[in-house]
Amino acid sequence: MVIDNSFYMQLAIDEAWKYHILTYPNPAVGCCVVGENGEILAVEAHKKAGGPHAEVEALKSAYVKLSGDKKILDIFSSEDIHNYLKQNHNKLFENVKVYTTLEPCSHRGKTPSCADLLSFLGVKKVYIGSKDTNPVASCGEDMLLKAGVETQSGILQRECENLIISFGSWSKGHFVFFKWAQTFNAKVDGGVISSKQSRTVVHKMRGVCDLLVIGGNTVRIDRPTLDARLAEAKAPDILIISKQKEFDLSIPLFGVENRNVFIDDSFDILKKYNNIMIEGGEAMFELSKKFVDIYLCFIAPKFGGEVGFEKTDDKFEILNIQKESQDIMVWMKKEVI
């Protein structure tokens, strides 16, 4: 293993993927802070919209290691973390390097500017994966350079840009991802497949999605609720793709409060939503493929089931692989031929 700039940036990328989708409508961003002898001081990510950005979370964790001061651990507001670090940094960051998957923000929005904080702390160098194309938040690198902070852009740029495909899509209109769970032998039936921890992650995703799309046969057979109860979050609206419009209204998904349920044989309503999740098997995969930006598969370490993806022959590029409890979690996009 080579310990170089790509190694540290990859740590930041992997951390950011853990919160992909969950930061909606913000991009998922990761950050790694490295000490003067190459030691890893922190690897953190932006976790949810309105919360501290990845750089702030990482600087907070690194500060504890460098100073031994744990008071900051009780501070959760981004504004308060900024102020605490500015008042107590004692030049601890002068020999520190920061690796961030996205150019530090230059503006004050719901949280203060990360580029301003990095400049104030006097970090030695900032390595940037991808440039921020949002005109409101861009030019953070320019701020750093003007403050005398060294920078280097383009570290694992393609991998960092893959991380913000979702942000680019929902910023322009809408983003659609397709999720399914399968066994080792690629079967998708036979009851609950993935672990409770994996299902909790899915519920967190549902909690930030505007719309969840499901097939009519799945609704009739599984009689699902399709809410976000494991995350204690708001349930998304539902689109049931079905030519047959009659359903048993005692199926739990129809009884969830404060949600709209649509039944249609087209995907036209997707145009009215921003962050869209599709769940299903092969039939839904084939029906929805022209609308989907990226794919998410949970692979459970067991065999069983009878129904799988028998006719689909699409090829994928793997964007990220994680282990979620017992399961393997794979983010992919269609391979461009």
Side-chain angles (χ1 to χ4, degrees), residues 99-138:
Y99 295 77
T100 180
T101 60
L102 184 65
E103 180 182 15
C105 61
S106 61
H107 79 307
R108 171 181 282 273
K110 291 183 178 179
T111 62
S113 163
C114 291
D116 172 71
L117 179 61
L118 290 162
S119 299
F120 190 94
L121 298 180
V123 300
K124 184 176 182 179
K125 190 167 185 176
V126 176
Y127 295 87
I128 298 167
S130 58
K131 299 284 283 186
D132 195 336
T133 57
N134 180 356
V136 176
S138 62

Short mmCIF file of all heavy atoms in Angstrom, two decimals, residues 99-138:
data_model
loop_
_atom_site.label_atom_id
_atom_site.label_comp_id
_atom_site.label_asym_id
_atom_site.label_seq_id
_atom_site.Cartn_x
_atom_site.Cartn_y
_atom_site.Cartn_z
N TYR A 99 -7.44 17.21 3.23
CA TYR A 99 -7.90 16.61 1.98
C TYR A 99 -9.42 16.65 1.96
O TYR A 99 -10.07 16.08 2.84
CB TYR A 99 -7.42 15.16 1.86
CG TYR A 99 -5.92 15.01 1.77
CD1 TYR A 99 -5.12 15.14 2.90
CD2 TYR A 99 -5.30 14.76 0.54
CE1 TYR A 99 -3.74 15.01 2.82
CE2 TYR A 99 -3.92 14.64 0.45
CZ TYR A 99 -3.15 14.77 1.59
OH TYR A 99 -1.78 14.65 1.49
N THR A 100 -9.99 17.33 0.98
CA THR A 100 -11.44 17.44 0.92
C THR A 100 -11.93 17.08 -0.48
O THR A 100 -11.33 17.49 -1.48
CB THR A 100 -11.91 18.85 1.32
OG1 THR A 100 -13.35 18.92 1.24
CG2 THR A 100 -11.31 19.93 0.44
N THR A 101 -13.01 16.30 -0.54
CA THR A 101 -13.48 15.80 -1.84
C THR A 101 -14.07 16.90 -2.71
O THR A 101 -14.12 16.75 -3.93
CB THR A 101 -14.53 14.69 -1.63
OG1 THR A 101 -15.66 15.22 -0.91
CG2 THR A 101 -13.95 13.52 -0.87
N LEU A 102 -14.51 17.99 -2.10
CA LEU A 102 -15.09 19.10 -2.85
C LEU A 102 -14.46 20.41 -2.38
O LEU A 102 -14.17 20.57 -1.19
CB LEU A 102 -16.61 19.15 -2.62
CG LEU A 102 -17.41 20.19 -3.40
CD1 LEU A 102 -17.36 19.89 -4.90
CD2 LEU A 102 -18.86 20.23 -2.93
N GLU A 103 -14.25 21.30 -3.30
CA GLU A 103 -13.67 22.61 -2.99
C GLU A 103 -14.39 23.25 -1.80
O GLU A 103 -15.63 23.32 -1.78
CB GLU A 103 -13.81 23.51 -4.22
CG GLU A 103 -13.26 24.91 -4.04
CD GLU A 103 -13.47 25.76 -5.29
OE1 GLU A 103 -14.30 25.36 -6.15
OE2 GLU A 103 -12.83 26.82 -5.40
N PRO A 104 -13.68 23.70 -0.79
CA PRO A 104 -14.31 24.33 0.39
C PRO A 104 -15.19 25.50 -0.01
O PRO A 104 -14.82 26.29 -0.89
CB PRO A 104 -13.12 24.78 1.23
CG PRO A 104 -12.01 23.86 0.83
CD PRO A 104 -12.21 23.61 -0.64
N CYS A 105 -16.35 25.60 0.62
CA CYS A 105 -17.30 26.66 0.25
C CYS A 105 -16.75 28.03 0.62
O CYS A 105 -16.08 28.21 1.64
CB CYS A 105 -18.64 26.42 0.92
SG CYS A 105 -18.60 26.42 2.72
N SER A 106 -17.08 29.00 -0.21
CA SER A 106 -16.56 30.36 -0.02
C SER A 106 -17.58 31.29 0.62
O SER A 106 -17.23 32.39 1.04
CB SER A 106 -16.16 30.94 -1.38
OG SER A 106 -17.29 31.01 -2.24
N HIS A 107 -18.83 30.85 0.68
CA HIS A 107 -19.89 31.77 1.11
C HIS A 107 -20.46 31.38 2.47
O HIS A 107 -20.21 30.29 2.99
CB HIS A 107 -21.02 31.76 0.09
CG HIS A 107 -21.94 30.59 0.20
ND1 HIS A 107 -21.47 29.28 0.21
CD2 HIS A 107 -23.29 30.49 0.34
CE1 HIS A 107 -22.49 28.45 0.33
NE2 HIS A 107 -23.60 29.15 0.42
N ARG A 108 -21.19 32.28 3.04
CA ARG A 108 -21.94 32.01 4.27
C ARG A 108 -23.38 31.72 3.89
O ARG A 108 -24.10 32.59 3.38
CB ARG A 108 -21.88 33.20 5.22
CG ARG A 108 -22.81 33.07 6.43
CD ARG A 108 -22.75 34.29 7.33
NE ARG A 108 -21.56 34.26 8.16
CZ ARG A 108 -21.49 33.65 9.35
NH1 ARG A 108 -22.54 33.00 9.82
NH2 ARG A 108 -20.39 33.68 10.05
N GLY A 109 -23.81 30.49 4.10
CA GLY A 109 -25.19 30.12 3.87
C GLY A 109 -25.83 29.79 5.20
O GLY A 109 -25.86 30.62 6.11
N LYS A 110 -26.32 28.55 5.34
CA LYS A 110 -26.84 28.11 6.64
C LYS A 110 -25.68 27.93 7.63
O LYS A 110 -25.89 27.90 8.83
CB LYS A 110 -27.62 26.81 6.49
CG LYS A 110 -28.93 26.97 5.74
CD LYS A 110 -29.69 25.65 5.69
CE LYS A 110 -31.02 25.84 4.98
NZ LYS A 110 -31.78 24.56 4.89
N THR A 111 -24.47 27.77 7.08
CA THR A 111 -23.26 27.63 7.91
C THR A 111 -22.20 28.59 7.38
O THR A 111 -22.24 29.00 6.23
CB THR A 111 -22.72 26.19 7.87
OG1 THR A 111 -22.36 25.86 6.51
CG2 THR A 111 -23.78 25.20 8.34
N PRO A 112 -21.21 28.94 8.20
CA PRO A 112 -20.14 29.84 7.75
C PRO A 112 -19.25 29.19 6.69
O PRO A 112 -19.30 27.98 6.47
CB PRO A 112 -19.35 30.12 9.04
CG PRO A 112 -20.25 29.73 10.15
CD PRO A 112 -21.09 28.62 9.63
N SER A 113 -18.42 30.01 6.08
CA SER A 113 -17.53 29.56 5.01
C SER A 113 -16.41 28.65 5.53
O SER A 113 -15.69 29.00 6.46
CB SER A 113 -16.92 30.77 4.31
OG SER A 113 -15.78 30.41 3.56
N CYS A 114 -16.26 27.49 4.89
CA CYS A 114 -15.18 26.57 5.25
C CYS A 114 -13.83 27.12 4.79
O CYS A 114 -12.81 26.94 5.47
CB CYS A 114 -15.41 25.20 4.64
SG CYS A 114 -16.82 24.32 5.34
N ALA A 115 -13.82 27.76 3.62
CA ALA A 115 -12.57 28.34 3.13
C ALA A 115 -12.06 29.42 4.08
O ALA A 115 -10.85 29.54 4.33
CB ALA A 115 -12.77 28.92 1.73
N ASP A 116 -12.97 30.19 4.63
CA ASP A 116 -12.59 31.22 5.60
C ASP A 116 -11.98 30.59 6.85
O ASP A 116 -10.96 31.07 7.37
CB ASP A 116 -13.83 32.04 5.98
CG ASP A 116 -13.55 33.02 7.12
OD1 ASP A 116 -12.82 34.01 6.87
OD2 ASP A 116 -14.04 32.78 8.24
N LEU A 117 -12.58 29.51 7.35
CA LEU A 117 -12.08 28.85 8.56
C LEU A 117 -10.69 28.26 8.32
O LEU A 117 -9.77 28.43 9.13
CB LEU A 117 -13.03 27.75 9.01
CG LEU A 117 -12.59 26.96 10.25
CD1 LEU A 117 -12.46 27.87 11.46
CD2 LEU A 117 -13.59 25.83 10.55
N LEU A 118 -10.52 27.57 7.19
CA LEU A 118 -9.22 26.98 6.87
C LEU A 118 -8.15 28.05 6.75
O LEU A 118 -7.01 27.87 7.20
CB LEU A 118 -9.32 26.18 5.57
CG LEU A 118 -10.14 24.88 5.65
CD1 LEU A 118 -10.53 24.43 4.25
CD2 LEU A 118 -9.35 23.80 6.36
N SER A 119 -8.51 29.19 6.17
CA SER A 119 -7.57 30.30 6.03
C SER A 119 -7.19 30.87 7.39
O SER A 119 -6.02 31.13 7.68
CB SER A 119 -8.18 31.41 5.16
OG SER A 119 -8.47 30.94 3.86
N PHE A 120 -8.20 31.05 8.24
CA PHE A 120 -7.97 31.64 9.56
C PHE A 120 -7.07 30.74 10.41
O PHE A 120 -6.20 31.23 11.15
CB PHE A 120 -9.31 31.85 10.27
CG PHE A 120 -9.21 32.66 11.53
CD1 PHE A 120 -9.42 34.04 11.52
CD2 PHE A 120 -8.89 32.06 12.75
CE1 PHE A 120 -9.31 34.79 12.68
CE2 PHE A 120 -8.78 32.80 13.91
CZ PHE A 120 -8.99 34.17 13.88
N LEU A 121 -7.27 29.43 10.30
CA LEU A 121 -6.47 28.50 11.10
C LEU A 121 -5.06 28.34 10.58
O LEU A 121 -4.20 27.80 11.27
CB LEU A 121 -7.16 27.12 11.14
CG LEU A 121 -8.55 27.07 11.80
CD1 LEU A 121 -9.09 25.66 11.76
CD2 LEU A 121 -8.49 27.58 13.23
N GLY A 122 -4.83 28.81 9.35
CA GLY A 122 -3.48 28.77 8.80
C GLY A 122 -2.97 27.39 8.48
O GLY A 122 -1.77 27.10 8.66
N VAL A 123 -3.87 26.49 7.97
CA VAL A 123 -3.42 25.15 7.61
C VAL A 123 -2.34 25.24 6.53
O VAL A 123 -2.30 26.19 5.74
CB VAL A 123 -4.59 24.27 7.13
CG1 VAL A 123 -5.64 24.13 8.21
CG2 VAL A 123 -5.21 24.82 5.86
N LYS A 124 -1.48 24.25 6.50
CA LYS A 124 -0.34 24.29 5.59
C LYS A 124 -0.76 24.14 4.13
O LYS A 124 -0.34 24.90 3.26
CB LYS A 124 0.66 23.18 5.95
CG LYS A 124 1.93 23.21 5.11
CD LYS A 124 2.91 22.15 5.59
CE LYS A 124 4.21 22.21 4.77
NZ LYS A 124 5.19 21.19 5.23
N LYS A 125 -1.60 23.14 3.85
CA LYS A 125 -1.99 22.89 2.47
C LYS A 125 -3.36 22.22 2.43
O LYS A 125 -3.69 21.41 3.30
CB LYS A 125 -0.96 22.01 1.77
CG LYS A 125 -1.15 21.89 0.26
CD LYS A 125 0.07 21.27 -0.42
CE LYS A 125 -0.09 21.26 -1.93
NZ LYS A 125 1.13 20.74 -2.62
N VAL A 126 -4.13 22.55 1.40
CA VAL A 126 -5.44 21.94 1.20
C VAL A 126 -5.45 21.24 -0.16
O VAL A 126 -5.16 21.86 -1.19
CB VAL A 126 -6.58 22.98 1.25
CG1 VAL A 126 -7.92 22.32 0.93
CG2 VAL A 126 -6.64 23.64 2.63
N TYR A 127 -5.75 19.95 -0.15
CA TYR A 127 -5.86 19.16 -1.37
C TYR A 127 -7.34 19.02 -1.70
O TYR A 127 -8.15 18.64 -0.85
CB TYR A 127 -5.24 17.78 -1.17
CG TYR A 127 -3.75 17.81 -0.92
CD1 TYR A 127 -3.25 17.97 0.37
CD2 TYR A 127 -2.84 17.68 -1.98
CE1 TYR A 127 -1.88 18.00 0.61
CE2 TYR A 127 -1.47 17.71 -1.74
CZ TYR A 127 -1.00 17.86 -0.45
OH TYR A 127 0.36 17.90 -0.22
N ILE A 128 -7.69 19.29 -2.95
CA ILE A 128 -9.09 19.34 -3.37
C ILE A 128 -9.35 18.30 -4.45
O ILE A 128 -8.59 18.18 -5.41
CB ILE A 128 -9.44 20.74 -3.91
CG1 ILE A 128 -9.26 21.79 -2.81
CG2 ILE A 128 -10.87 20.78 -4.45
CD1 ILE A 128 -9.28 23.23 -3.32
N GLY A 129 -10.44 17.54 -4.28
CA GLY A 129 -10.79 16.53 -5.26
C GLY A 129 -11.44 17.13 -6.49
O GLY A 129 -10.89 17.09 -7.58
N SER A 130 -12.63 17.71 -6.32
CA SER A 130 -13.35 18.31 -7.44
C SER A 130 -13.70 19.76 -7.13
O SER A 130 -13.90 20.13 -5.97
CB SER A 130 -14.61 17.51 -7.77
OG SER A 130 -15.48 17.44 -6.65
N LYS A 131 -13.79 20.55 -8.15
CA LYS A 131 -14.14 21.96 -8.01
C LYS A 131 -15.64 22.09 -7.79
O LYS A 131 -16.44 21.29 -8.29
CB LYS A 131 -13.74 22.74 -9.26
CG LYS A 131 -12.25 22.70 -9.56
CD LYS A 131 -11.47 23.62 -8.64
CE LYS A 131 -11.61 25.06 -9.05
NZ LYS A 131 -10.74 25.96 -8.25
N ASP A 132 -16.04 23.09 -7.03
CA ASP A 132 -17.45 23.36 -6.78
C ASP A 132 -18.01 24.16 -7.94
O ASP A 132 -17.56 25.27 -8.21
CB ASP A 132 -17.62 24.13 -5.46
CG ASP A 132 -19.05 24.12 -4.96
OD1 ASP A 132 -19.96 23.94 -5.78
OD2 ASP A 132 -19.25 24.28 -3.74
N THR A 133 -18.99 23.58 -8.64
CA THR A 133 -19.58 24.26 -9.80
C THR A 133 -20.78 25.12 -9.41
O THR A 133 -21.34 25.81 -10.27
CB THR A 133 -20.03 23.23 -10.85
OG1 THR A 133 -20.96 22.31 -10.25
CG2 THR A 133 -18.83 22.45 -11.38
N ASN A 134 -21.15 25.09 -8.14
CA ASN A 134 -22.24 25.94 -7.66
C ASN A 134 -21.71 27.38 -7.57
O ASN A 134 -20.83 27.68 -6.76
CB ASN A 134 -22.71 25.46 -6.29
CG ASN A 134 -23.84 26.31 -5.73
OD1 ASN A 134 -24.24 27.30 -6.31
ND2 ASN A 134 -24.35 25.91 -4.57
N PRO A 135 -22.22 28.30 -8.40
CA PRO A 135 -21.68 29.67 -8.42
C PRO A 135 -21.79 30.39 -7.08
O PRO A 135 -21.01 31.29 -6.79
CB PRO A 135 -22.53 30.37 -9.49
CG PRO A 135 -23.77 29.54 -9.62
CD PRO A 135 -23.35 28.14 -9.34
N VAL A 136 -22.73 29.97 -6.24
CA VAL A 136 -22.90 30.61 -4.93
C VAL A 136 -21.77 30.23 -3.98
O VAL A 136 -21.29 31.05 -3.19
CB VAL A 136 -24.26 30.23 -4.31
CG1 VAL A 136 -24.40 30.81 -2.91
CG2 VAL A 136 -25.41 30.70 -5.20
N ALA A 137 -21.32 28.97 -4.05
CA ALA A 137 -20.34 28.47 -3.08
C ALA A 137 -18.93 28.34 -3.63
O ALA A 137 -18.00 28.06 -2.89
CB ALA A 137 -20.81 27.12 -2.56
N SER A 138 -18.75 28.53 -4.93
CA SER A 138 -17.45 28.30 -5.57
C SER A 138 -16.41 29.37 -5.20
O SER A 138 -16.71 30.31 -4.47
CB SER A 138 -17.62 28.24 -7.09
OG SER A 138 -18.10 29.47 -7.58
#
